[in-house]
Amino acid sequence: MTDFSAPKTENSTTMRRMTVTALMAAMTTLMTAYLFHIPVGVNGGYIHFGDAIIYFAAALLPMPYACAVGAIGGGLADLLTAPMWAPATILIKALICLPFSCKGNKIVTKRNTAALFFAFCISAVGYYVAEGILFGFTAAFFTSAAGSLIQSAGSAVVFLILGTALDRAGLKNNAARGL
């Protein structure tokens, strides 16, 4: 029988983090590929709220785990919907976690709010380069910039609204005990 009152060990903390990482990667995949998935553009692009889940991961989990959520969740979504984008997405979605911090008592902090802008910049530049390689840099500038702005803005709004609500409910303080 398992003793749930036993003190946390490094192994149990790692297991909890890996479990949350896997769940958030799955949620990212679903939110990116299938739920609230809005096709736009001529190059198979679409708007989704999967990035909001990646932002939550970056605000809740230590950096390597958050980067794994982005890379795995975004990469799987692209493998399921538009495989040519998967290599770029794996790198870009891991990188958008870097400006965020999981330190602090809240999800929506000044740093994480500012990080939304930097995540947009990383995403816009990353997808501009990827689209430029795939379709030519002249056409990529307009389609990539507009798509990245809409995509990042939508996910930022979702992150801010839900993050504020979850902060009011004390989620971060309660979750931090397990992570």
Side-chain angles (χ1 to χ4, degrees):
M1 180 173 242
T2 304
D3 181 10
F4 291 106
S5 64
K8 286 191 315 186
T9 65
E10 189 172 329
N11 287 339
S12 68
T13 299
T14 301
M15 186 58 68
R16 284 185 179 101
R17 288 178 179 165
M18 289 173 57
T19 302
V20 171
T21 299
L23 289 170
M24 293 187 94
M27 289 173 28
T28 299
T29 301
L30 291 173
M31 291 292 288
T32 301
Y34 301 114
L35 304 177
F36 307 110
H37 183 227
I38 306 162
V40 296
V42 295
N43 295 334
Y46 53 89
I47 298 170
H48 59 81
F49 299 117
D51 286 3
I53 304 299
I54 296 170
Y55 301 158
F56 280 112
L60 293 170
L61 295 166
M63 192 57 56
Y65 297 94
C67 290
V69 168
I72 295 166
L76 284 173
D78 276 359
L79 286 173
L80 292 167
T81 61
M84 68 184 175
W85 293 102
T89 293
I90 289 167
L91 178 62
I92 294 165
K93 297 306 181 187
L95 291 176
I96 66 172
C97 295
L98 297 180
F100 291 86
S101 174
C102 68
K103 295 176 174 71
N105 296 327
K106 294 188 174 202
I107 295 167
V108 179
T109 62
K110 288 180 184 179
R111 177 178 172 151
N112 289 343
T113 301
L116 296 167
F117 170 75
F118 293 108
F120 156 71
C121 292
I122 292 165
S123 183
V125 169
Y127 281 111
Y128 168 70
V129 170
E131 192 166 338
I133 291 168
L134 290 170
F135 303 107
F137 284 94
T138 304
F141 179 75
F142 296 106
T143 58
S144 180
S148 290
L149 179 61
I150 294 167
Q151 169 58 51
S152 295
S155 288
V157 168
V158 169
F159 173 78
L160 291 171
I161 291 171
L162 289 178
T164 300
L166 293 171
D167 282 341
R168 287 187 183 160
L171 175 91
K172 180 107 185 228
N173 289 332
N174 292 332
R177 285 186 223 131
L179 298 175

